Amino acid sequence: MLPRVALLPCLVAIGGLASFAATQGSRAPEPARHWYKGNTHTHTLNSDGDSTPDDVVKWYREHGYNFLVLSDHNFLTSVDGLNAVHGADDKFLVIRGEEVTDRAGDKPIHINGLDLPATVEPQHGATVLDTVQRNIDAIRRAGGTPHVNHPNFGWAITADELRQVERYKLFEIYNGHHAVNNLGGGGVPGMEEVWDRLLSAGKETYGIADDDAHVFKQPGNPDVPGPGRGWVVVRAPRLAPRAIVDALERGEFYATTGVELRDYQVTDTAITITIKETTFSKYRTVFTGKNSRVLKEVTSSPASYTFTGDDTYVRATILESNGRVAWTQPVFKRRPSSQ
């Protein structure tokens, strides 16, 4: 079951930007929105994956996903034939993508381009910051939407560098590859701490979870980058490439490694989250604010947080007793600076 977001006769903000309201007076009714499960980072034989695009798409179609972005390294796979075979109206969609793969010295710089109309060549740059910015700008010029991939892979992109990068909204809070250092180490912060540093500095950023799957022929092997480890659930008016990508950029989604939500409501006074609980698991919801400050912890469902006058932003992390996690996007009570 995908979650429901109620339309209330007051401000409802998902990600702090999208506002939804019940019809009042002469105001036109809002279009219906639906929840779609998808993955934005996956590889095939067209770069360094072990399976054909057809087999990769088939895996996600058969495992309950609604959309998939194929994001091979410096290669844009055609999706027309794949959608002709596997696509279905409002059920499943393949979206064009590319992992623009570059280097700055010895640092690997990888930026996904979502819904790209054409291949984007690596742009190169004098520094890490310059290289990241050049590739993001090239993706934007081509008509795609960028998201920054695994900043801690090769310890490539620091929190300070991400803070200075412009014209992006999306980055990976979780990447399912086994060697990307999601949790940080050796004095380098993990991705959740990086996220809070960006948000506390006024950067409007949203956290994606994805697979970065390369290996489909060794199911269950934790030492290879396999599928089904992280995904997003996006709220959009329809299952179409631009509708999905635009919803991601508005922060209308949650990211997860397995925790599912039944209901997610945000009003002008509170956040309320209802978890799709499983029999043998327990859950803890942590509401976090500026500078990683824990605002409230709740061990029951629904979990709610009432805004105070001191809140700059509030986001929630839902932790499951067997290690699965979900992240809701930040709700901004004070608007971030423009990028």
Side-chain angles (χ1 to χ4, degrees):
M1 176 186 293
L2 296 177
R4 172 179 63 86
V5 173
L7 302 182
L8 302 176
C10 53
L11 174 67
V12 178
I14 307 275
L17 292 184
S19 296
F20 311 102
T23 303
Q24 299 178 31
S26 60
R27 184 177 296 173
E30 292 285 341
R33 287 176 169 84
H34 311 280
W35 290 95
Y36 300 105
K37 176 182 178 179
N39 183 45
T40 63
H41 190 170
T42 308
H43 296 274
T44 77
L45 281 172
N46 287 336
S47 61
D48 54 348
D50 72 348
S51 298
T52 65
D54 184 73
D55 284 340
V56 170
V57 170
K58 188 181 298 182
W59 189 95
Y60 287 93
R61 179 72 165 93
E62 292 178 350
H63 285 80
Y65 287 70
N66 300 115
F67 69 89
L68 173 67
V69 180
L70 295 179
S71 57
D72 282 305
H73 296 281
N74 297 334
F75 190 93
L76 188 67
T77 297
S78 173
V79 301
D80 293 345
L82 295 166
N83 276 318
V85 174
H86 301 287
D89 290 347
D90 212 44
K91 291 185 178 180
F92 188 78
L93 173 71
V94 189
I95 300 174
R96 293 170 301 194
E98 175 192 356
E99 185 170 17
V100 181
T101 304
D102 207 343
R103 296 192 73 82
D106 63 347
K107 304 296 186 183
I109 308 298
H110 297 184
I111 313 294
N112 260 20
L114 310 181
D115 193 29
L116 278 171
T119 303
V120 172
E121 297 297 326
Q123 300 297 295
H124 312 306
T127 64
V128 167
L129 178 59
D130 186 38
T131 304
V132 173
Q133 190 66 68
R134 285 173 178 266
N135 285 298
I136 284 174
D137 289 347
I139 290 167
R140 290 284 189 197
R141 286 195 302 271
T145 295
H147 77 64
V148 178
N149 294 346
H150 42 56
N152 276 350
F153 175 56
W155 311 108
I157 310 172
T158 67
D160 186 59
E161 287 161 339
L162 281 175
R163 181 184 57 80
Q164 297 177 72
V165 175
E166 299 178 337
R167 293 176 289 283
Y168 80 101
K169 297 285 184 67
L170 305 170
F171 83 110
E172 290 179 344
I173 183 69
Y174 173 87
N175 176 297
H177 196 290
H178 59 289
V180 299
N181 306 303
N182 289 314
L183 300 179
V188 178
M191 298 321 302
E192 268 202 88
E193 183 177 343
V194 168
W195 196 11
D196 283 318
R197 289 187 184 186
L198 296 175
L199 295 171
S200 298
K203 292 290 286 187
E204 184 187 314
T205 49
Y206 302 119
I208 282 181
D210 55 42
D211 287 336
D212 196 0
H214 292 66
V215 178
F216 292 80
K217 294 180 178 178
Q218 299 181 44
N221 185 347
D223 297 322
V224 299
R229 297 180 182 178
W231 59 90
V232 290
V233 184
V234 180
R235 188 171 188 254
R238 61 190 179 280
L239 187 60
R242 188 43 48 182
I244 292 294
V245 171
D246 286 350
L248 284 167
E249 284 222 284
R250 291 192 300 267
E252 293 187 47
F253 68 98
Y254 72 91
T256 183
T257 65
V259 174
E260 296 181 76
L261 305 185
R262 288 192 182 277
D263 193 11
Y264 175 47
Q265 298 186 25
V266 183
T267 72
D268 57 352
T269 59
I271 301 172
T272 303
I273 298 167
T274 305
I275 304 163
K276 184 180 179 182
E277 298 177 274
T278 57
T279 303
F280 298 107
S281 296
K282 292 185 180 296
Y283 300 85
R284 178 166 56 96
T285 300
V286 180
F287 294 95
T288 301
K290 188 174 182 178
N291 298 323
S292 300
R293 185 165 67 95
V294 174
L295 305 172
K296 186 178 181 181
E297 293 193 20
V298 183
T299 56
S300 58
S301 178
S304 65
Y305 175 79
T306 301
F307 298 120
T308 73
D310 295 329
D311 293 325
T312 301
Y313 72 87
V314 181
R315 65 174 185 83
T317 307
I318 303 98
L319 302 108
E320 183 256 358
S321 52
N322 291 297
R324 297 177 180 88
V325 186
W327 299 268
T328 66
Q329 302 309 313
V331 175
F332 300 105
K333 300 304 292 181
R334 302 176 193 172
R335 194 174 184 85
S337 59
S338 60
Q339 297 186 52

